[in-house]
Amino acid sequence: MLTYFEFIQEYLPALLKGTVVTLEQTALGILVAVLVAVIMAFMKMAPFFAIRWFGIAYIEVFRGTSLLVQMYWIFFVLPLFGFTLDKFTAGFLAVGLNLGAYGAELVRGGIQAVPRGQYEAAVALGFSPFTRMRRIIFPQALLKMLPPWGNLLIELLKATALVALISVTDLMFMSKQINSTTFMSAQAFGTALIIYYIIARLIVTPGMRGLENRLSRKLSIG
Amino acid sequence: MFDWKWDFTIEILPRLLDATINTLIAAGLGYLIALIVGLIFALAQRTPLRSVTFIVRELVEFVRSTPLVLQIFFVFYVGPQIGIRLSPWTAGMIAIGLHYASYLSEVYRAGLDSVPKGQWEACSALNLSVRRTYAKIIIPQAIPTVIPGFGNYLIGIFKDTPLLSVIGVMELFHAANSIGAETYRFLEPYTLVGLIFLVISLPTAMFIRRFEDWVRGALGMKKLYAKD
C-alpha cells in the first residue's frame, strides 16, 4: 500500500491532466451557456408569440429533464439524425445548453429588475431600442445578475464531471481510472474532490467577485 | 419520424415505467434525508459554539462546490476500503441526501433570516419560550420564503437521480441504458426517459407555485402567481 504522499507523487500528474480537460470543458461550457442564456432570454421576452413560445419551450425542456439524459441524447441519439459529435464537443455542448436554460431565467430576471424609469428616460432621450438595451438597460441588469451567475458557474463546473460518463478524460474520469487500477478509492476520489473545491473557491468565486467590482466601478464612473 | 418504432416503444414502456417508480422512491427518500439533515446543518450554524458553526459551514460549502457524481463514487467505494460494505441504494441515498442537505440548509437559513429581527425581540419581550417562539411566530412567517427553494430542490433531486445509475441503482436511466445495451436502440429509450422526466417535473413545478400562493393566501399575504 502506498502512503498518501507516494500516491500523490505517482498519480498527481494524471489528475492534473484531467483537471486541464475539466477547465477546458468548463470554459467552453460557459461560452455556450452565456450565448444560449442571452438568446433564450430575449426570445422569451419577444413580442411575437411563436418566438416567445420557442424560448419558453427551450427553457422548460432543458430545465425539466436531467443533464445526463440530455448528454446521452446528444451523444447517442443525435448521430441517428445525422449529427455526429465527438465526445468532447458533445460534453461541453450538453453542459452549456443545459445550464444556459437556467441562465436564461437569470438574464430575464435581471433585465426585468431594471426600474421602469430607466426605460422611460431612454425613450425620452430618443435612444433606439437597440442602443437603449445595449447602453442603458443591459449594463444595469448585468450588475444585478452577476452574483447568481457566480452560483450558476459553480453548478456548471460541477456539471462537467458528467462528461466522464461519455468517456471524456476529465478529472472525474481520471480519478475513476486511478481508482480501478489502484483500489485506493479514498485517495483517488478524495483528491479529485479537493481539486474541484479549489477550482470553485479559488478561481470561480473570486473571479466573479472581481468582475462584479470592475463592473460596478465602471457603471458608477461612466 | 425518422426511425422511430412504435411497437418497440410500446414494448419497453412498461419496463421504463416500472423503473420510474424506483426513481420516485430514490428522489423521495433522498429528499427526506436531505430535509432532516439539512435542518440539523442549519441549526448547527445557529449555535453559540463558534467551532461547530465553522466546521458545519465549511462542510456545507465543500459539499456544495463539488460534483454529486464524484461524491456518489466516493461514498460507494470508500466504504469497502475501511471495511463497511454499502449497497448501491444505501450509498446512493447517503450521497444524494447529504448533497441536497447542504443545499436545503441554506434554504432553512435564508428562511429563518428573512423573519424581521423585531419579531424575535417581540417574542422575548412577551416572554415566550423558545419552542413557542419558533412554532407560533418564526416558522409560520418563514414558510412562504422557503417554499420556492424547497420546491426547486425537490425537482432538482428528482433530476439528479439518474446519477445513481453509475453505481448500479436500478432506476429509470439505468433501465434505459440496459435496454440500449440489449437492443442497440437508443432513440426510443432515451427519448422516453426525457419525456417521463418532463411529464413529472413540469406539473410538479406548477403545483409548487400553486401551493406557494395557497400558503400565502392562508397567511394573508399577497399572492404571486394568481391572476385574480
Side-chain angles (χ1 to χ4, degrees), chain B residues 93-112:
Chain B
M93 289 301 100
I94 292 174
I96 211 167
L98 279 184
H99 190 80
Y100 275 89
S102 57
Y103 278 103
L104 288 187
S105 77
E106 296 287 291
V107 181
Y108 280 116
R109 216 162 62 100
L112 292 176

mmCIF file with all atom_site columns, all heavy atoms in Angstrom, chain B residues 93-112:
data_model
loop_
_atom_site.group_PDB
_atom_site.id
_atom_site.type_symbol
_atom_site.label_atom_id
_atom_site.label_alt_id
_atom_site.label_comp_id
_atom_site.label_asym_id
_atom_site.label_entity_id
_atom_site.label_seq_id
_atom_site.pdbx_PDB_ins_code
_atom_site.Cartn_x
_atom_site.Cartn_y
_atom_site.Cartn_z
_atom_site.occupancy
_atom_site.B_iso_or_equiv
_atom_site.pdbx_formal_charge
_atom_site.auth_seq_id
_atom_site.auth_comp_id
_atom_site.auth_asym_id
_atom_site.auth_atom_id
_atom_site.pdbx_PDB_model_num
ATOM 1   N N   . MET B 1 93  ? -28.266 6.849  -1.468 1.00 0.00 ? 93  MET B N   1
ATOM 2   C CA  . MET B 1 93  ? -29.126 7.688  -0.628 1.00 0.00 ? 93  MET B CA  1
ATOM 3   C C   . MET B 1 93  ? -28.302 8.567  0.298  1.00 0.00 ? 93  MET B C   1
ATOM 4   O O   . MET B 1 93  ? -28.626 9.737  0.524  1.00 0.00 ? 93  MET B O   1
ATOM 5   C CB  . MET B 1 93  ? -30.086 6.811  0.195  1.00 0.00 ? 93  MET B CB  1
ATOM 6   C CG  . MET B 1 93  ? -31.184 6.151  -0.619 1.00 0.00 ? 93  MET B CG  1
ATOM 7   S SD  . MET B 1 93  ? -32.216 7.340  -1.484 1.00 0.00 ? 93  MET B SD  1
ATOM 8   C CE  . MET B 1 93  ? -31.538 7.256  -3.115 1.00 0.00 ? 93  MET B CE  1
ATOM 9   N N   . ILE B 1 94  ? -27.194 8.006  0.841  1.00 0.00 ? 94  ILE B N   1
ATOM 10  C CA  . ILE B 1 94  ? -26.333 8.825  1.711  1.00 0.00 ? 94  ILE B CA  1
ATOM 11  C C   . ILE B 1 94  ? -25.769 10.000 0.910  1.00 0.00 ? 94  ILE B C   1
ATOM 12  O O   . ILE B 1 94  ? -25.842 11.157 1.326  1.00 0.00 ? 94  ILE B O   1
ATOM 13  C CB  . ILE B 1 94  ? -25.182 7.979  2.299  1.00 0.00 ? 94  ILE B CB  1
ATOM 14  C CG1 . ILE B 1 94  ? -25.744 6.943  3.280  1.00 0.00 ? 94  ILE B CG1 1
ATOM 15  C CG2 . ILE B 1 94  ? -24.154 8.864  2.996  1.00 0.00 ? 94  ILE B CG2 1
ATOM 16  C CD1 . ILE B 1 94  ? -24.705 5.974  3.803  1.00 0.00 ? 94  ILE B CD1 1
ATOM 17  N N   . ALA B 1 95  ? -25.230 9.693  -0.279 1.00 0.00 ? 95  ALA B N   1
ATOM 18  C CA  . ALA B 1 95  ? -24.569 10.736 -1.061 1.00 0.00 ? 95  ALA B CA  1
ATOM 19  C C   . ALA B 1 95  ? -25.560 11.817 -1.501 1.00 0.00 ? 95  ALA B C   1
ATOM 20  O O   . ALA B 1 95  ? -25.337 13.011 -1.292 1.00 0.00 ? 95  ALA B O   1
ATOM 21  C CB  . ALA B 1 95  ? -23.881 10.121 -2.283 1.00 0.00 ? 95  ALA B CB  1
ATOM 22  N N   . ILE B 1 96  ? -26.670 11.391 -2.092 1.00 0.00 ? 96  ILE B N   1
ATOM 23  C CA  . ILE B 1 96  ? -27.607 12.379 -2.640 1.00 0.00 ? 96  ILE B CA  1
ATOM 24  C C   . ILE B 1 96  ? -28.305 13.115 -1.484 1.00 0.00 ? 96  ILE B C   1
ATOM 25  O O   . ILE B 1 96  ? -28.556 14.325 -1.559 1.00 0.00 ? 96  ILE B O   1
ATOM 26  C CB  . ILE B 1 96  ? -28.601 11.697 -3.616 1.00 0.00 ? 96  ILE B CB  1
ATOM 27  C CG1 . ILE B 1 96  ? -29.010 12.683 -4.710 1.00 0.00 ? 96  ILE B CG1 1
ATOM 28  C CG2 . ILE B 1 96  ? -29.824 11.157 -2.919 1.00 0.00 ? 96  ILE B CG2 1
ATOM 29  C CD1 . ILE B 1 96  ? -29.720 12.025 -5.873 1.00 0.00 ? 96  ILE B CD1 1
ATOM 30  N N   . GLY B 1 97  ? -28.565 12.399 -0.381 1.00 0.00 ? 97  GLY B N   1
ATOM 31  C CA  . GLY B 1 97  ? -29.188 13.028 0.788  1.00 0.00 ? 97  GLY B CA  1
ATOM 32  C C   . GLY B 1 97  ? -28.297 14.104 1.383  1.00 0.00 ? 97  GLY B C   1
ATOM 33  O O   . GLY B 1 97  ? -28.743 15.217 1.658  1.00 0.00 ? 97  GLY B O   1
ATOM 34  N N   . LEU B 1 98  ? -27.005 13.781 1.545  1.00 0.00 ? 98  LEU B N   1
ATOM 35  C CA  . LEU B 1 98  ? -26.082 14.769 2.121  1.00 0.00 ? 98  LEU B CA  1
ATOM 36  C C   . LEU B 1 98  ? -25.896 15.953 1.183  1.00 0.00 ? 98  LEU B C   1
ATOM 37  O O   . LEU B 1 98  ? -25.825 17.104 1.610  1.00 0.00 ? 98  LEU B O   1
ATOM 38  C CB  . LEU B 1 98  ? -24.718 14.132 2.393  1.00 0.00 ? 98  LEU B CB  1
ATOM 39  C CG  . LEU B 1 98  ? -24.602 13.319 3.673  1.00 0.00 ? 98  LEU B CG  1
ATOM 40  C CD1 . LEU B 1 98  ? -23.174 12.827 3.846  1.00 0.00 ? 98  LEU B CD1 1
ATOM 41  C CD2 . LEU B 1 98  ? -24.992 14.170 4.884  1.00 0.00 ? 98  LEU B CD2 1
ATOM 42  N N   . HIS B 1 99  ? -25.801 15.660 -0.122 1.00 0.00 ? 99  HIS B N   1
ATOM 43  C CA  . HIS B 1 99  ? -25.603 16.728 -1.105 1.00 0.00 ? 99  HIS B CA  1
ATOM 44  C C   . HIS B 1 99  ? -26.751 17.738 -1.010 1.00 0.00 ? 99  HIS B C   1
ATOM 45  O O   . HIS B 1 99  ? -26.530 18.932 -0.889 1.00 0.00 ? 99  HIS B O   1
ATOM 46  C CB  . HIS B 1 99  ? -25.534 16.124 -2.500 1.00 0.00 ? 99  HIS B CB  1
ATOM 47  C CG  . HIS B 1 99  ? -25.102 17.085 -3.562 1.00 0.00 ? 99  HIS B CG  1
ATOM 48  N ND1 . HIS B 1 99  ? -23.779 17.398 -3.756 1.00 0.00 ? 99  HIS B ND1 1
ATOM 49  C CD2 . HIS B 1 99  ? -25.799 17.816 -4.461 1.00 0.00 ? 99  HIS B CD2 1
ATOM 50  C CE1 . HIS B 1 99  ? -23.691 18.274 -4.731 1.00 0.00 ? 99  HIS B CE1 1
ATOM 51  N NE2 . HIS B 1 99  ? -24.900 18.547 -5.195 1.00 0.00 ? 99  HIS B NE2 1
ATOM 52  N N   . TYR B 1 100 ? -27.971 17.224 -1.048 1.00 0.00 ? 100 TYR B N   1
ATOM 53  C CA  . TYR B 1 100 ? -29.102 18.144 -1.013 1.00 0.00 ? 100 TYR B CA  1
ATOM 54  C C   . TYR B 1 100 ? -29.342 18.705 0.376  1.00 0.00 ? 100 TYR B C   1
ATOM 55  O O   . TYR B 1 100 ? -29.914 19.786 0.516  1.00 0.00 ? 100 TYR B O   1
ATOM 56  C CB  . TYR B 1 100 ? -30.347 17.471 -1.616 1.00 0.00 ? 100 TYR B CB  1
ATOM 57  C CG  . TYR B 1 100 ? -30.331 17.636 -3.105 1.00 0.00 ? 100 TYR B CG  1
ATOM 58  C CD1 . TYR B 1 100 ? -29.709 16.713 -3.916 1.00 0.00 ? 100 TYR B CD1 1
ATOM 59  C CD2 . TYR B 1 100 ? -30.853 18.774 -3.691 1.00 0.00 ? 100 TYR B CD2 1
ATOM 60  C CE1 . TYR B 1 100 ? -29.623 16.898 -5.281 1.00 0.00 ? 100 TYR B CE1 1
ATOM 61  C CE2 . TYR B 1 100 ? -30.787 18.975 -5.041 1.00 0.00 ? 100 TYR B CE2 1
ATOM 62  C CZ  . TYR B 1 100 ? -30.171 18.031 -5.839 1.00 0.00 ? 100 TYR B CZ  1
ATOM 63  O OH  . TYR B 1 100 ? -30.081 18.238 -7.184 1.00 0.00 ? 100 TYR B OH  1
ATOM 64  N N   . ALA B 1 101 ? -28.893 17.994 1.428  1.00 0.00 ? 101 ALA B N   1
ATOM 65  C CA  . ALA B 1 101 ? -29.000 18.553 2.785  1.00 0.00 ? 101 ALA B CA  1
ATOM 66  C C   . ALA B 1 101 ? -28.222 19.859 2.868  1.00 0.00 ? 101 ALA B C   1
ATOM 67  O O   . ALA B 1 101 ? -28.672 20.827 3.484  1.00 0.00 ? 101 ALA B O   1
ATOM 68  C CB  . ALA B 1 101 ? -28.469 17.557 3.805  1.00 0.00 ? 101 ALA B CB  1
ATOM 69  N N   . SER B 1 102 ? -27.056 19.901 2.205  1.00 0.00 ? 102 SER B N   1
ATOM 70  C CA  . SER B 1 102 ? -26.270 21.128 2.307  1.00 0.00 ? 102 SER B CA  1
ATOM 71  C C   . SER B 1 102 ? -26.948 22.262 1.530  1.00 0.00 ? 102 SER B C   1
ATOM 72  O O   . SER B 1 102 ? -26.862 23.419 1.931  1.00 0.00 ? 102 SER B O   1
ATOM 73  C CB  . SER B 1 102 ? -24.838 20.903 1.850  1.00 0.00 ? 102 SER B CB  1
ATOM 74  O OG  . SER B 1 102 ? -24.822 20.427 0.544  1.00 0.00 ? 102 SER B OG  1
ATOM 75  N N   . TYR B 1 103 ? -27.639 21.923 0.435  1.00 0.00 ? 103 TYR B N   1
ATOM 76  C CA  . TYR B 1 103 ? -28.418 22.966 -0.256 1.00 0.00 ? 103 TYR B CA  1
ATOM 77  C C   . TYR B 1 103 ? -29.600 23.418 0.604  1.00 0.00 ? 103 TYR B C   1
ATOM 78  O O   . TYR B 1 103 ? -29.869 24.600 0.759  1.00 0.00 ? 103 TYR B O   1
ATOM 79  C CB  . TYR B 1 103 ? -28.951 22.444 -1.591 1.00 0.00 ? 103 TYR B CB  1
ATOM 80  C CG  . TYR B 1 103 ? -27.946 22.505 -2.710 1.00 0.00 ? 103 TYR B CG  1
ATOM 81  C CD1 . TYR B 1 103 ? -27.282 21.365 -3.130 1.00 0.00 ? 103 TYR B CD1 1
ATOM 82  C CD2 . TYR B 1 103 ? -27.673 23.703 -3.350 1.00 0.00 ? 103 TYR B CD2 1
ATOM 83  C CE1 . TYR B 1 103 ? -26.360 21.418 -4.153 1.00 0.00 ? 103 TYR B CE1 1
ATOM 84  C CE2 . TYR B 1 103 ? -26.759 23.760 -4.373 1.00 0.00 ? 103 TYR B CE2 1
ATOM 85  C CZ  . TYR B 1 103 ? -26.112 22.616 -4.768 1.00 0.00 ? 103 TYR B CZ  1
ATOM 86  O OH  . TYR B 1 103 ? -25.204 22.677 -5.786 1.00 0.00 ? 103 TYR B OH  1
ATOM 87  N N   . LEU B 1 104 ? -30.330 22.429 1.160  1.00 0.00 ? 104 LEU B N   1
ATOM 88  C CA  . LEU B 1 104 ? -31.528 22.776 1.925  1.00 0.00 ? 104 LEU B CA  1
ATOM 89  C C   . LEU B 1 104 ? -31.184 23.538 3.191  1.00 0.00 ? 104 LEU B C   1
ATOM 90  O O   . LEU B 1 104 ? -31.963 24.379 3.644  1.00 0.00 ? 104 LEU B O   1
ATOM 91  C CB  . LEU B 1 104 ? -32.331 21.513 2.260  1.00 0.00 ? 104 LEU B CB  1
ATOM 92  C CG  . LEU B 1 104 ? -33.052 20.867 1.084  1.00 0.00 ? 104 LEU B CG  1
ATOM 93  C CD1 . LEU B 1 104 ? -33.935 19.734 1.557  1.00 0.00 ? 104 LEU B CD1 1
ATOM 94  C CD2 . LEU B 1 104 ? -33.894 21.876 0.317  1.00 0.00 ? 104 LEU B CD2 1
ATOM 95  N N   . SER B 1 105 ? -30.003 23.272 3.768  1.00 0.00 ? 105 SER B N   1
ATOM 96  C CA  . SER B 1 105 ? -29.630 24.007 4.980  1.00 0.00 ? 105 SER B CA  1
ATOM 97  C C   . SER B 1 105 ? -29.571 25.505 4.680  1.00 0.00 ? 105 SER B C   1
ATOM 98  O O   . SER B 1 105 ? -29.920 26.330 5.517  1.00 0.00 ? 105 SER B O   1
ATOM 99  C CB  . SER B 1 105 ? -28.293 23.509 5.521  1.00 0.00 ? 105 SER B CB  1
ATOM 100 O OG  . SER B 1 105 ? -27.226 24.015 4.776  1.00 0.00 ? 105 SER B OG  1
ATOM 101 N N   . GLU B 1 106 ? -29.152 25.841 3.446  1.00 0.00 ? 106 GLU B N   1
ATOM 102 C CA  . GLU B 1 106 ? -29.117 27.252 3.053  1.00 0.00 ? 106 GLU B CA  1
ATOM 103 C C   . GLU B 1 106 ? -30.530 27.822 2.936  1.00 0.00 ? 106 GLU B C   1
ATOM 104 O O   . GLU B 1 106 ? -30.764 28.980 3.259  1.00 0.00 ? 106 GLU B O   1
ATOM 105 C CB  . GLU B 1 106 ? -28.391 27.413 1.715  1.00 0.00 ? 106 GLU B CB  1
ATOM 106 C CG  . GLU B 1 106 ? -26.949 27.027 1.760  1.00 0.00 ? 106 GLU B CG  1
ATOM 107 C CD  . GLU B 1 106 ? -26.116 28.054 2.502  1.00 0.00 ? 106 GLU B CD  1
ATOM 108 O OE1 . GLU B 1 106 ? -25.945 29.173 1.986  1.00 0.00 ? 106 GLU B OE1 1
ATOM 109 O OE2 . GLU B 1 106 ? -25.657 27.746 3.614  1.00 0.00 ? 106 GLU B OE2 1
ATOM 110 N N   . VAL B 1 107 ? -31.459 26.988 2.466  1.00 0.00 ? 107 VAL B N   1
ATOM 111 C CA  . VAL B 1 107 ? -32.847 27.444 2.354  1.00 0.00 ? 107 VAL B CA  1
ATOM 112 C C   . VAL B 1 107 ? -33.434 27.687 3.742  1.00 0.00 ? 107 VAL B C   1
ATOM 113 O O   . VAL B 1 107 ? -34.064 28.716 3.997  1.00 0.00 ? 107 VAL B O   1
ATOM 114 C CB  . VAL B 1 107 ? -33.702 26.430 1.570  1.00 0.00 ? 107 VAL B CB  1
ATOM 115 C CG1 . VAL B 1 107 ? -35.137 26.910 1.443  1.00 0.00 ? 107 VAL B CG1 1
ATOM 116 C CG2 . VAL B 1 107 ? -33.112 26.195 0.194  1.00 0.00 ? 107 VAL B CG2 1
ATOM 117 N N   . TYR B 1 108 ? -33.209 26.725 4.653  1.00 0.00 ? 108 TYR B N   1
ATOM 118 C CA  . TYR B 1 108 ? -33.666 26.904 6.034  1.00 0.00 ? 108 TYR B CA  1
ATOM 119 C C   . TYR B 1 108 ? -33.100 28.197 6.607  1.00 0.00 ? 108 TYR B C   1
ATOM 120 O O   . TYR B 1 108 ? -33.799 28.995 7.227  1.00 0.00 ? 108 TYR B O   1
ATOM 121 C CB  . TYR B 1 108 ? -33.163 25.755 6.917  1.00 0.00 ? 108 TYR B CB  1
ATOM 122 C CG  . TYR B 1 108 ? -33.946 24.470 6.835  1.00 0.00 ? 108 TYR B CG  1
ATOM 123 C CD1 . TYR B 1 108 ? -33.363 23.305 6.350  1.00 0.00 ? 108 TYR B CD1 1
ATOM 124 C CD2 . TYR B 1 108 ? -35.250 24.394 7.300  1.00 0.00 ? 108 TYR B CD2 1
ATOM 125 C CE1 . TYR B 1 108 ? -34.049 22.104 6.306  1.00 0.00 ? 108 TYR B CE1 1
ATOM 126 C CE2 . TYR B 1 108 ? -35.952 23.202 7.267  1.00 0.00 ? 108 TYR B CE2 1
ATOM 127 C CZ  . TYR B 1 108 ? -35.345 22.055 6.764  1.00 0.00 ? 108 TYR B CZ  1
ATOM 128 O OH  . TYR B 1 108 ? -36.037 20.882 6.727  1.00 0.00 ? 108 TYR B OH  1
ATOM 129 N N   . ARG B 1 109 ? -31.796 28.386 6.383  1.00 0.00 ? 109 ARG B N   1
ATOM 130 C CA  . ARG B 1 109 ? -31.104 29.545 6.941  1.00 0.00 ? 109 ARG B CA  1
ATOM 131 C C   . ARG B 1 109 ? -31.712 30.839 6.395  1.00 0.00 ? 109 ARG B C   1
ATOM 132 O O   . ARG B 1 109 ? -32.026 31.755 7.154  1.00 0.00 ? 109 ARG B O   1
ATOM 133 C CB  . ARG B 1 109 ? -29.624 29.480 6.555  1.00 0.00 ? 109 ARG B CB  1
ATOM 134 C CG  . ARG B 1 109 ? -28.671 29.973 7.608  1.00 0.00 ? 109 ARG B CG  1
ATOM 135 C CD  . ARG B 1 109 ? -27.288 29.448 7.303  1.00 0.00 ? 109 ARG B CD  1
ATOM 136 N NE  . ARG B 1 109 ? -26.814 29.956 6.023  1.00 0.00 ? 109 ARG B NE  1
ATOM 137 C CZ  . ARG B 1 109 ? -25.968 30.969 5.920  1.00 0.00 ? 109 ARG B CZ  1
ATOM 138 N NH1 . ARG B 1 109 ? -25.513 31.584 6.976  1.00 0.00 ? 109 ARG B NH1 1
ATOM 139 N NH2 . ARG B 1 109 ? -25.555 31.379 4.727  1.00 0.00 ? 109 ARG B NH2 1
ATOM 140 N N   . ALA B 1 110 ? -31.903 30.880 5.087  1.00 0.00 ? 110 ALA B N   1
ATOM 141 C CA  . ALA B 1 110 ? -32.474 32.080 4.466  1.00 0.00 ? 110 ALA B CA  1
ATOM 142 C C   . ALA B 1 110 ? -33.874 32.337 5.006  1.00 0.00 ? 110 ALA B C   1
ATOM 143 O O   . ALA B 1 110 ? -34.259 33.482 5.250  1.00 0.00 ? 110 ALA B O   1
ATOM 144 C CB  . ALA B 1 110 ? -32.510 31.917 2.945  1.00 0.00 ? 110 ALA B CB  1
ATOM 145 N N   . GLY B 1 111 ? -34.645 31.253 5.218  1.00 0.00 ? 111 GLY B N   1
ATOM 146 C CA  . GLY B 1 111 ? -35.996 31.399 5.742  1.00 0.00 ? 111 GLY B CA  1
ATOM 147 C C   . GLY B 1 111 ? -35.994 32.013 7.130  1.00 0.00 ? 111 GLY B C   1
ATOM 148 O O   . GLY B 1 111 ? -36.713 32.979 7.399  1.00 0.00 ? 111 GLY B O   1
ATOM 149 N N   . LEU B 1 112 ? -35.152 31.473 8.003  1.00 0.00 ? 112 LEU B N   1
ATOM 150 C CA  . LEU B 1 112 ? -35.103 31.991 9.374  1.00 0.00 ? 112 LEU B CA  1
ATOM 151 C C   . LEU B 1 112 ? -34.580 33.425 9.387  1.00 0.00 ? 112 LEU B C   1
ATOM 152 O O   . LEU B 1 112 ? -35.063 34.265 10.153 1.00 0.00 ? 112 LEU B O   1
ATOM 153 C CB  . LEU B 1 112 ? -34.212 31.091 10.244 1.00 0.00 ? 112 LEU B CB  1
ATOM 154 C CG  . LEU B 1 112 ? -34.769 29.685 10.501 1.00 0.00 ? 112 LEU B CG  1
ATOM 155 C CD1 . LEU B 1 112 ? -33.765 28.845 11.275 1.00 0.00 ? 112 LEU B CD1 1
ATOM 156 C CD2 . LEU B 1 112 ? -36.083 29.758 11.265 1.00 0.00 ? 112 LEU B CD2 1
#
